[in-house]
Amino acid sequence: MDFLRPASWEEALAAKAEHPTAVPIAGGTDVMVEINFDHRRPEYLLDLNRIELLRAWEVGEETVRLGASVSYTQIMENLRAELPGLALASHTVASPQIRNRGGVGGNLGTASPAGDAHPALLAAGAEVEVESVRGSRLIPIDAFYTGVKRNAMAPDELIKTVHIKKADGPQQYSKVGTRNAMVIAVCAFGLALHPETRTVRTGIGSAAPTPVRAKAAEEFLNAALDEGGFWESGRIITPSIAKQFAELASASCNPIDDVRGTAKYRRHAVGIMARRTLGWTWEQYRGTGRSLEGAA
Amino acid sequence: MRVNFTVNGRKQEADDVWEGESLLYVLRERMGLPGSKNACEQGECGSCTVRLDGVPVCSCLVAAGQVEGREVVTVEGLADYAKHREDAHPGGGCASGACGTSIDAAQRWQAKPVDGQTGEAGALSPIQQAFIDAGAVQCGFCTPGLLVAADELLERNASPSDQDIREALSGNLCRCTGYEKILDAVRLAAARQEEAV
Ligand SMILES: Cc1cc2nc3c(=O)[nH]c(=O)nc-3n(C[C@H](O)[C@H](O)[C@H](O)COP(=O)(O)OP(=O)(O)OC[C@H]3O[C@@H](n4cnc5c(N)ncnc54)[C@H](O)[C@@H]3O)c2cc1C
Ligand code: FES
Ligand code: FES
């Protein structure tokens, strides 16, 4: 095994071009587990810790450009107002020690259906900026997850930044697990209200081969809120609309039975989380509202 | 490969490090510092917790090569680290190489609680003394990681709520104590810290 320690982004891209099988290591909270347990013996480890730009973020007019290695702790502490859904999701990851090391770049690299960043990114709206010596491209988050633990990156590419839409309304994140810390999601649900476009976006975790949006549920809800003039009036969403939204969210799952839960349970729980997160965010929207910070 | 980094304030060098090796392995097997414990090697238990550039991390999940040029504090250096913090950086911490514990001293480090007869203080940090006084140590396997995590909490938050303590220690598992005495110990250390100010 070789340990590559590029000092700059350009060096990292060159190293990845020369050794496309090299495994990037950022926080190491996925990679080191695999190495410690002999599940992976890469020929090259490509350490990204020295690359400053991966640890920086920039808050722009419309988006936050989040460096791939910004830790979950940093997101929770610094980007709660701009990225409330992702900050809430970050807070549910593992433990302080893991959140101090792990970040969104690694979550996207692993692309586990249970990764907590994914539902939040899907709900907020995001693009993943990947780069290689051949150039850079923006992959829409909807097109990023291509299969179980598979993503749309080419072997010579690295994730540079994630461009995430700044919140223009309340966002929530809900996760089912056996305790409050150190749990991989049985299933999870992220929801973001976008009052500017009068749309609602969602993200489902751990209930399909990849993280997915509940598209049919979103379409139904967007039409129902529009027809009923809910955005203008700020009226309470009627129980029948909430119920149908929940049923459609549940129907957009394609879960499996595994050690953490059954497919049936996951479908059920996703429906409940869809209804609850809609209720929470809508209350925030109606209330003094427009408070963009997520409640922990 | 060779890795150079600062351990408990002193520059160290480790040779013949395998590229996939963890920081935990280097500390325990190459530097003779077995204070950080190896229980799960997958980030679940926190018994390997150390500070990396001041930040608590699971040393089993840090690749040795990633610590090149960086600062690590282990439980063996905690007493000196806390002492130095109190003397030189009240209210903060210091991960600089200017102060620290020699590797010999760290290797020989032993818990010496306050002597009940003479009242003489041994080489313990306040959090270590509080763990002993509160009866928070049973088998002791989880203790080093908890000490490092709890000490960092009290450095950043002088009067933590119970919720703050639970959250800060949520990555550290203990199979023996049921956690109540551990919470007592952190409360005790916090109270003593406040009295001292
Ligand atoms: C005890 C424990 C509990 C956990 N709990 C959770 C949890 O609750 N929720 C959750 O979502 N995850 C959890 N995880 C998984 C892990 O912490 C996350 O997936 C984390 O986001 C990984 O980030 P990292 O920087 O540590 O990634 P690494 O381990 O460094 O890398 C992960 C993958 O991404 C690739 N990669 C990293 N950076 C880049 C880049 N810039 N470009 C291209 N590829 C890259 C790596 O090659 C690797 O394939 C847990 C892990 C542990 C050990
Ligand atoms: S040994 Fe590192 S967390 Fe358990
Ligand atoms: S005292 Fe035995 S594991 Fe905590």
PDB file of all heavy atoms in Angstrom, chain A residues 61-93:
ATOM      1  N   GLU A  61     -25.029  34.340  -2.441  1.00  0.00           N
ATOM      2  CA  GLU A  61     -26.389  34.880  -2.524  1.00  0.00           C
ATOM      3  C   GLU A  61     -27.442  33.776  -2.454  1.00  0.00           C
ATOM      4  O   GLU A  61     -28.387  33.836  -1.687  1.00  0.00           O
ATOM      5  CB  GLU A  61     -26.563  35.597  -3.867  1.00  0.00           C
ATOM      6  CG  GLU A  61     -25.976  36.989  -3.927  1.00  0.00           C
ATOM      7  CD  GLU A  61     -26.865  37.984  -3.207  1.00  0.00           C
ATOM      8  OE1 GLU A  61     -28.028  38.134  -3.618  1.00  0.00           O
ATOM      9  OE2 GLU A  61     -26.388  38.585  -2.228  1.00  0.00           O
ATOM     10  N   GLU A  62     -27.234  32.765  -3.305  1.00  0.00           N
ATOM     11  CA  GLU A  62     -28.253  31.725  -3.472  1.00  0.00           C
ATOM     12  C   GLU A  62     -27.850  30.403  -2.844  1.00  0.00           C
ATOM     13  O   GLU A  62     -28.711  29.634  -2.446  1.00  0.00           O
ATOM     14  CB  GLU A  62     -28.456  31.459  -4.969  1.00  0.00           C
ATOM     15  CG  GLU A  62     -28.764  32.690  -5.790  1.00  0.00           C
ATOM     16  CD  GLU A  62     -30.233  32.734  -6.132  1.00  0.00           C
ATOM     17  OE1 GLU A  62     -30.704  31.743  -6.718  1.00  0.00           O
ATOM     18  OE2 GLU A  62     -30.894  33.736  -5.793  1.00  0.00           O
ATOM     19  N   THR A  63     -26.543  30.161  -2.834  1.00  0.00           N
ATOM     20  CA  THR A  63     -26.098  28.843  -2.386  1.00  0.00           C
ATOM     21  C   THR A  63     -24.973  28.953  -1.362  1.00  0.00           C
ATOM     22  O   THR A  63     -24.318  29.981  -1.254  1.00  0.00           O
ATOM     23  CB  THR A  63     -25.532  27.998  -3.563  1.00  0.00           C
ATOM     24  OG1 THR A  63     -24.427  28.697  -4.123  1.00  0.00           O
ATOM     25  CG2 THR A  63     -26.575  27.730  -4.621  1.00  0.00           C
ATOM     26  N   VAL A  64     -24.804  27.855  -0.639  1.00  0.00           N
ATOM     27  CA  VAL A  64     -23.614  27.684   0.191  1.00  0.00           C
ATOM     28  C   VAL A  64     -22.712  26.726  -0.562  1.00  0.00           C
ATOM     29  O   VAL A  64     -23.163  25.669  -1.016  1.00  0.00           O
ATOM     30  CB  VAL A  64     -23.968  27.089   1.565  1.00  0.00           C
ATOM     31  CG1 VAL A  64     -22.698  26.792   2.368  1.00  0.00           C
ATOM     32  CG2 VAL A  64     -24.871  28.030   2.342  1.00  0.00           C
ATOM     33  N   ARG A  65     -21.448  27.113  -0.732  1.00  0.00           N
ATOM     34  CA  ARG A  65     -20.486  26.212  -1.364  1.00  0.00           C
ATOM     35  C   ARG A  65     -19.699  25.561  -0.251  1.00  0.00           C
ATOM     36  O   ARG A  65     -18.830  26.184   0.357  1.00  0.00           O
ATOM     37  CB  ARG A  65     -19.595  26.976  -2.322  1.00  0.00           C
ATOM     38  CG  ARG A  65     -20.378  27.459  -3.552  1.00  0.00           C
ATOM     39  CD  ARG A  65     -19.844  28.766  -4.060  1.00  0.00           C
ATOM     40  NE  ARG A  65     -18.465  28.618  -4.489  1.00  0.00           N
ATOM     41  CZ  ARG A  65     -18.111  28.562  -5.781  1.00  0.00           C
ATOM     42  NH1 ARG A  65     -19.016  28.657  -6.736  1.00  0.00           N
ATOM     43  NH2 ARG A  65     -16.854  28.431  -6.092  1.00  0.00           N
ATOM     44  N   LEU A  66     -20.034  24.318  -0.015  1.00  0.00           N
ATOM     45  CA  LEU A  66     -19.502  23.594   1.141  1.00  0.00           C
ATOM     46  C   LEU A  66     -18.353  22.711   0.692  1.00  0.00           C
ATOM     47  O   LEU A  66     -18.540  21.794  -0.113  1.00  0.00           O
ATOM     48  CB  LEU A  66     -20.627  22.737   1.737  1.00  0.00           C
ATOM     49  CG  LEU A  66     -20.336  21.976   3.010  1.00  0.00           C
ATOM     50  CD1 LEU A  66     -20.301  22.933   4.195  1.00  0.00           C
ATOM     51  CD2 LEU A  66     -21.392  20.906   3.240  1.00  0.00           C
ATOM     52  N   GLY A  67     -17.150  22.963   1.219  1.00  0.00           N
ATOM     53  CA  GLY A  67     -16.005  22.112   0.900  1.00  0.00           C
ATOM     54  C   GLY A  67     -16.288  20.677   1.312  1.00  0.00           C
ATOM     55  O   GLY A  67     -16.941  20.433   2.329  1.00  0.00           O
ATOM     56  N   ALA A  68     -15.771  19.731   0.536  1.00  0.00           N
ATOM     57  CA  ALA A  68     -16.111  18.316   0.745  1.00  0.00           C
ATOM     58  C   ALA A  68     -15.731  17.828   2.141  1.00  0.00           C
ATOM     59  O   ALA A  68     -16.382  16.948   2.682  1.00  0.00           O
ATOM     60  CB  ALA A  68     -15.418  17.455  -0.313  1.00  0.00           C
ATOM     61  N   SER A  69     -14.669  18.392   2.727  1.00  0.00           N
ATOM     62  CA  SER A  69     -14.210  17.876   4.026  1.00  0.00           C
ATOM     63  C   SER A  69     -14.683  18.703   5.218  1.00  0.00           C
ATOM     64  O   SER A  69     -14.209  18.477   6.327  1.00  0.00           O
ATOM     65  CB  SER A  69     -12.678  17.821   4.063  1.00  0.00           C
ATOM     66  OG  SER A  69     -12.182  16.970   3.067  1.00  0.00           O
ATOM     67  N   VAL A  70     -15.567  19.657   5.031  1.00  0.00           N
ATOM     68  CA  VAL A  70     -16.090  20.406   6.184  1.00  0.00           C
ATOM     69  C   VAL A  70     -16.790  19.406   7.108  1.00  0.00           C
ATOM     70  O   VAL A  70     -17.633  18.635   6.661  1.00  0.00           O
ATOM     71  CB  VAL A  70     -17.077  21.512   5.743  1.00  0.00           C
ATOM     72  CG1 VAL A  70     -17.680  22.207   6.955  1.00  0.00           C
ATOM     73  CG2 VAL A  70     -16.388  22.524   4.840  1.00  0.00           C
ATOM     74  N   SER A  71     -16.422  19.425   8.382  1.00  0.00           N
ATOM     75  CA  SER A  71     -16.950  18.388   9.275  1.00  0.00           C
ATOM     76  C   SER A  71     -18.403  18.667   9.663  1.00  0.00           C
ATOM     77  O   SER A  71     -18.871  19.804   9.588  1.00  0.00           O
ATOM     78  CB  SER A  71     -16.092  18.313  10.544  1.00  0.00           C
ATOM     79  OG  SER A  71     -16.315  19.463  11.335  1.00  0.00           O
ATOM     80  N   TYR A  72     -19.073  17.616  10.080  1.00  0.00           N
ATOM     81  CA  TYR A  72     -20.458  17.769  10.552  1.00  0.00           C
ATOM     82  C   TYR A  72     -20.520  18.769  11.709  1.00  0.00           C
ATOM     83  O   TYR A  72     -21.465  19.554  11.813  1.00  0.00           O
ATOM     84  CB  TYR A  72     -21.022  16.418  11.007  1.00  0.00           C
ATOM     85  CG  TYR A  72     -21.235  15.439   9.880  1.00  0.00           C
ATOM     86  CD1 TYR A  72     -20.542  14.234   9.834  1.00  0.00           C
ATOM     87  CD2 TYR A  72     -22.138  15.711   8.862  1.00  0.00           C
ATOM     88  CE1 TYR A  72     -20.739  13.328   8.805  1.00  0.00           C
ATOM     89  CE2 TYR A  72     -22.342  14.814   7.826  1.00  0.00           C
ATOM     90  CZ  TYR A  72     -21.636  13.619   7.809  1.00  0.00           C
ATOM     91  OH  TYR A  72     -21.832  12.737   6.778  1.00  0.00           O
ATOM     92  N   THR A  73     -19.509  18.729  12.587  1.00  0.00           N
ATOM     93  CA  THR A  73     -19.483  19.665  13.712  1.00  0.00           C
ATOM     94  C   THR A  73     -19.469  21.111  13.212  1.00  0.00           C
ATOM     95  O   THR A  73     -20.207  21.965  13.723  1.00  0.00           O
ATOM     96  CB  THR A  73     -18.242  19.395  14.590  1.00  0.00           C
ATOM     97  OG1 THR A  73     -18.272  18.031  14.994  1.00  0.00           O
ATOM     98  CG2 THR A  73     -18.216  20.289  15.815  1.00  0.00           C
ATOM     99  N   GLN A  74     -18.641  21.375  12.222  1.00  0.00           N
ATOM    100  CA  GLN A  74     -18.573  22.729  11.656  1.00  0.00           C
ATOM    101  C   GLN A  74     -19.905  23.143  11.050  1.00  0.00           C
ATOM    102  O   GLN A  74     -20.331  24.292  11.172  1.00  0.00           O
ATOM    103  CB  GLN A  74     -17.503  22.787  10.553  1.00  0.00           C
ATOM    104  CG  GLN A  74     -16.089  22.546  11.034  1.00  0.00           C
ATOM    105  CD  GLN A  74     -15.455  23.838  11.518  1.00  0.00           C
ATOM    106  OE1 GLN A  74     -16.148  24.796  11.824  1.00  0.00           O
ATOM    107  NE2 GLN A  74     -14.140  23.841  11.594  1.00  0.00           N
ATOM    108  N   ILE A  75     -20.557  22.215  10.379  1.00  0.00           N
ATOM    109  CA  ILE A  75     -21.853  22.523   9.762  1.00  0.00           C
ATOM    110  C   ILE A  75     -22.864  22.884  10.845  1.00  0.00           C
ATOM    111  O   ILE A  75     -23.577  23.886  10.757  1.00  0.00           O
ATOM    112  CB  ILE A  75     -22.359  21.320   8.928  1.00  0.00           C
ATOM    113  CG1 ILE A  75     -21.424  21.067   7.739  1.00  0.00           C
ATOM    114  CG2 ILE A  75     -23.800  21.559   8.447  1.00  0.00           C
ATOM    115  CD1 ILE A  75     -21.691  19.782   6.993  1.00  0.00           C
ATOM    116  N   MET A  76     -22.886  22.076  11.924  1.00  0.00           N
ATOM    117  CA  MET A  76     -23.830  22.340  13.021  1.00  0.00           C
ATOM    118  C   MET A  76     -23.561  23.686  13.665  1.00  0.00           C
ATOM    119  O   MET A  76     -24.472  24.397  14.065  1.00  0.00           O
ATOM    120  CB  MET A  76     -23.688  21.265  14.101  1.00  0.00           C
ATOM    121  CG  MET A  76     -24.273  19.924  13.726  1.00  0.00           C
ATOM    122  SD  MET A  76     -23.537  18.619  14.751  1.00  0.00           S
ATOM    123  CE  MET A  76     -23.910  19.197  16.397  1.00  0.00           C
ATOM    124  N   GLU A  77     -22.268  24.020  13.803  1.00  0.00           N
ATOM    125  CA  GLU A  77     -21.916  25.242  14.538  1.00  0.00           C
ATOM    126  C   GLU A  77     -22.007  26.500  13.691  1.00  0.00           C
ATOM    127  O   GLU A  77     -22.248  27.581  14.212  1.00  0.00           O
ATOM    128  CB  GLU A  77     -20.496  25.110  15.117  1.00  0.00           C
ATOM    129  CG  GLU A  77     -20.466  24.154  16.300  1.00  0.00           C
ATOM    130  CD  GLU A  77     -19.062  23.923  16.843  1.00  0.00           C
ATOM    131  OE1 GLU A  77     -18.096  24.473  16.284  1.00  0.00           O
ATOM    132  OE2 GLU A  77     -18.948  23.161  17.825  1.00  0.00           O
ATOM    133  N   ASN A  78     -21.800  26.366  12.395  1.00  0.00           N
ATOM    134  CA  ASN A  78     -21.663  27.570  11.573  1.00  0.00           C
ATOM    135  C   ASN A  78     -22.730  27.779  10.512  1.00  0.00           C
ATOM    136  O   ASN A  78     -22.849  28.877   9.978  1.00  0.00           O
ATOM    137  CB  ASN A  78     -20.300  27.571  10.884  1.00  0.00           C
ATOM    138  CG  ASN A  78     -19.163  27.551  11.876  1.00  0.00           C
ATOM    139  OD1 ASN A  78     -18.962  28.508  12.600  1.00  0.00           O
ATOM    140  ND2 ASN A  78     -18.446  26.446  11.936  1.00  0.00           N
ATOM    141  N   LEU A  79     -23.468  26.731  10.153  1.00  0.00           N
ATOM    142  CA  LEU A  79     -24.368  26.870   8.998  1.00  0.00           C
ATOM    143  C   LEU A  79     -25.817  26.527   9.326  1.00  0.00           C
ATOM    144  O   LEU A  79     -26.592  26.157   8.445  1.00  0.00           O
ATOM    145  CB  LEU A  79     -23.841  26.003   7.839  1.00  0.00           C
ATOM    146  CG  LEU A  79     -22.504  26.495   7.268  1.00  0.00           C
ATOM    147  CD1 LEU A  79     -21.845  25.431   6.393  1.00  0.00           C
ATOM    148  CD2 LEU A  79     -22.714  27.779   6.461  1.00  0.00           C
ATOM    149  N   ARG A  80     -26.159  26.680  10.598  1.00  0.00           N
ATOM    150  CA  ARG A  80     -27.495  26.324  11.028  1.00  0.00           C
ATOM    151  C   ARG A  80     -28.573  27.174  10.364  1.00  0.00           C
ATOM    152  O   ARG A  80     -29.655  26.686  10.037  1.00  0.00           O
ATOM    153  CB  ARG A  80     -27.588  26.503  12.540  1.00  0.00           C
ATOM    154  CG  ARG A  80     -28.323  25.399  13.187  1.00  0.00           C
ATOM    155  CD  ARG A  80     -28.438  25.587  14.682  1.00  0.00           C
ATOM    156  NE  ARG A  80     -29.432  24.642  15.120  1.00  0.00           N
ATOM    157  CZ  ARG A  80     -29.162  23.370  15.347  1.00  0.00           C
ATOM    158  NH1 ARG A  80     -27.946  22.901  15.185  1.00  0.00           N
ATOM    159  NH2 ARG A  80     -30.136  22.564  15.727  1.00  0.00           N
ATOM    160  N   ALA A  81     -28.298  28.446  10.164  1.00  0.00           N
ATOM    161  CA  ALA A  81     -29.296  29.334   9.570  1.00  0.00           C
ATOM    162  C   ALA A  81     -29.417  29.103   8.062  1.00  0.00           C
ATOM    163  O   ALA A  81     -30.515  29.092   7.513  1.00  0.00           O
ATOM    164  CB  ALA A  81     -28.929  30.791   9.848  1.00  0.00           C
ATOM    165  N   GLU A  82     -28.275  28.897   7.409  1.00  0.00           N
ATOM    166  CA  GLU A  82     -28.287  28.756   5.952  1.00  0.00           C
ATOM    167  C   GLU A  82     -28.732  27.363   5.518  1.00  0.00           C
ATOM    168  O   GLU A  82     -29.385  27.206   4.485  1.00  0.00           O
ATOM    169  CB  GLU A  82     -26.893  29.021   5.372  1.00  0.00           C
ATOM    170  CG  GLU A  82     -26.381  30.435   5.552  1.00  0.00           C
ATOM    171  CD  GLU A  82     -25.762  30.670   6.933  1.00  0.00           C
ATOM    172  OE1 GLU A  82     -25.725  29.711   7.743  1.00  0.00           O
ATOM    173  OE2 GLU A  82     -25.330  31.802   7.205  1.00  0.00           O
ATOM    174  N   LEU A  83     -28.329  26.355   6.288  1.00  0.00           N
ATOM    175  CA  LEU A  83     -28.607  24.968   5.916  1.00  0.00           C
ATOM    176  C   LEU A  83     -29.248  24.225   7.086  1.00  0.00           C
ATOM    177  O   LEU A  83     -28.674  23.273   7.623  1.00  0.00           O
ATOM    178  CB  LEU A  83     -27.294  24.259   5.508  1.00  0.00           C
ATOM    179  CG  LEU A  83     -26.426  24.934   4.436  1.00  0.00           C
ATOM    180  CD1 LEU A  83     -25.110  24.192   4.265  1.00  0.00           C
ATOM    181  CD2 LEU A  83     -27.177  25.002   3.102  1.00  0.00           C
ATOM    182  N   PRO A  84     -30.441  24.644   7.501  1.00  0.00           N
ATOM    183  CA  PRO A  84     -31.009  24.047   8.717  1.00  0.00           C
ATOM    184  C   PRO A  84     -31.243  22.541   8.603  1.00  0.00           C
ATOM    185  O   PRO A  84     -31.002  21.804   9.566  1.00  0.00           O
ATOM    186  CB  PRO A  84     -32.337  24.793   8.904  1.00  0.00           C
ATOM    187  CG  PRO A  84     -32.615  25.476   7.605  1.00  0.00           C
ATOM    188  CD  PRO A  84     -31.292  25.692   6.928  1.00  0.00           C
ATOM    189  N   GLY A  85     -31.680  22.080   7.438  1.00  0.00           N
ATOM    190  CA  GLY A  85     -31.935  20.642   7.279  1.00  0.00           C
ATOM    191  C   GLY A  85     -30.654  19.841   7.415  1.00  0.00           C
ATOM    192  O   GLY A  85     -30.599  18.839   8.141  1.00  0.00           O
ATOM    193  N   LEU A  86     -29.606  20.302   6.754  1.00  0.00           N
ATOM    194  CA  LEU A  86     -28.330  19.577   6.822  1.00  0.00           C
ATOM    195  C   LEU A  86     -27.724  19.665   8.222  1.00  0.00           C
ATOM    196  O   LEU A  86     -27.120  18.705   8.702  1.00  0.00           O
ATOM    197  CB  LEU A  86     -27.350  20.131   5.782  1.00  0.00           C
ATOM    198  CG  LEU A  86     -26.031  19.364   5.668  1.00  0.00           C
ATOM    199  CD1 LEU A  86     -26.254  17.925   5.209  1.00  0.00           C
ATOM    200  CD2 LEU A  86     -25.061  20.079   4.731  1.00  0.00           C
ATOM    201  N   ALA A  87     -27.910  20.821   8.899  1.00  0.00           N
ATOM    202  CA  ALA A  87     -27.380  20.954  10.258  1.00  0.00           C
ATOM    203  C   ALA A  87     -28.086  19.975  11.200  1.00  0.00           C
ATOM    204  O   ALA A  87     -27.447  19.332  12.032  1.00  0.00           O
ATOM    205  CB  ALA A  87     -27.536  22.390  10.759  1.00  0.00           C
ATOM    206  N   LEU A  88     -29.404  19.848  11.041  1.00  0.00           N
ATOM    207  CA  LEU A  88     -30.139  18.895  11.871  1.00  0.00           C
ATOM    208  C   LEU A  88     -29.707  17.464  11.570  1.00  0.00           C
ATOM    209  O   LEU A  88     -29.499  16.656  12.479  1.00  0.00           O
ATOM    210  CB  LEU A  88     -31.646  19.022  11.621  1.00  0.00           C
ATOM    211  CG  LEU A  88     -32.331  20.257  12.195  1.00  0.00           C
ATOM    212  CD1 LEU A  88     -33.756  20.372  11.642  1.00  0.00           C
ATOM    213  CD2 LEU A  88     -32.370  20.184  13.712  1.00  0.00           C
ATOM    214  N   ALA A  89     -29.568  17.159  10.299  1.00  0.00           N
ATOM    215  CA  ALA A  89     -29.141  15.807   9.905  1.00  0.00           C
ATOM    216  C   ALA A  89     -27.742  15.528  10.454  1.00  0.00           C
ATOM    217  O   ALA A  89     -27.472  14.438  10.976  1.00  0.00           O
ATOM    218  CB  ALA A  89     -29.156  15.666   8.387  1.00  0.00           C
ATOM    219  N   SER A  90     -26.856  16.522  10.373  1.00  0.00           N
ATOM    220  CA  SER A  90     -25.477  16.351  10.866  1.00  0.00           C
ATOM    221  C   SER A  90     -25.478  16.002  12.347  1.00  0.00           C
ATOM    222  O   SER A  90     -24.684  15.187  12.807  1.00  0.00           O
ATOM    223  CB  SER A  90     -24.674  17.642  10.664  1.00  0.00           C
ATOM    224  OG  SER A  90     -24.614  17.985   9.304  1.00  0.00           O
ATOM    225  N   HIS A  91     -26.375  16.654  13.079  1.00  0.00           N
ATOM    226  CA  HIS A  91     -26.441  16.441  14.523  1.00  0.00           C
ATOM    227  C   HIS A  91     -26.839  15.003  14.868  1.00  0.00           C
ATOM    228  O   HIS A  91     -26.557  14.515  15.960  1.00  0.00           O
ATOM    229  CB  HIS A  91     -27.436  17.428  15.140  1.00  0.00           C
ATOM    230  CG  HIS A  91     -27.204  17.688  16.590  1.00  0.00           C
ATOM    231  ND1 HIS A  91     -27.655  18.811  17.232  1.00  0.00           N
ATOM    232  CD2 HIS A  91     -26.575  16.967  17.538  1.00  0.00           C
ATOM    233  CE1 HIS A  91     -27.317  18.754  18.506  1.00  0.00           C
ATOM    234  NE2 HIS A  91     -26.655  17.647  18.717  1.00  0.00           N
ATOM    235  N   THR A  92     -27.503  14.310  13.954  1.00  0.00           N
ATOM    236  CA  THR A  92     -27.910  12.924  14.229  1.00  0.00           C
ATOM    237  C   THR A  92     -26.814  11.923  13.888  1.00  0.00           C
ATOM    238  O   THR A  92     -26.966  10.728  14.153  1.00  0.00           O
ATOM    239  CB  THR A  92     -29.173  12.516  13.446  1.00  0.00           C
ATOM    240  OG1 THR A  92     -28.826  12.301  12.073  1.00  0.00           O
ATOM    241  CG2 THR A  92     -30.275  13.554  13.547  1.00  0.00           C
ATOM    242  N   VAL A  93     -25.730  12.373  13.260  1.00  0.00           N
ATOM    243  CA  VAL A  93     -24.676  11.436  12.870  1.00  0.00           C
ATOM    244  C   VAL A  93     -23.888  10.998  14.109  1.00  0.00           C
ATOM    245  O   VAL A  93     -23.351  11.830  14.847  1.00  0.00           O
ATOM    246  CB  VAL A  93     -23.712  12.063  11.841  1.00  0.00           C
ATOM    247  CG1 VAL A  93     -22.529  11.138  11.568  1.00  0.00           C
ATOM    248  CG2 VAL A  93     -24.433  12.394  10.543  1.00  0.00           C
TER     249      VAL A  93
END
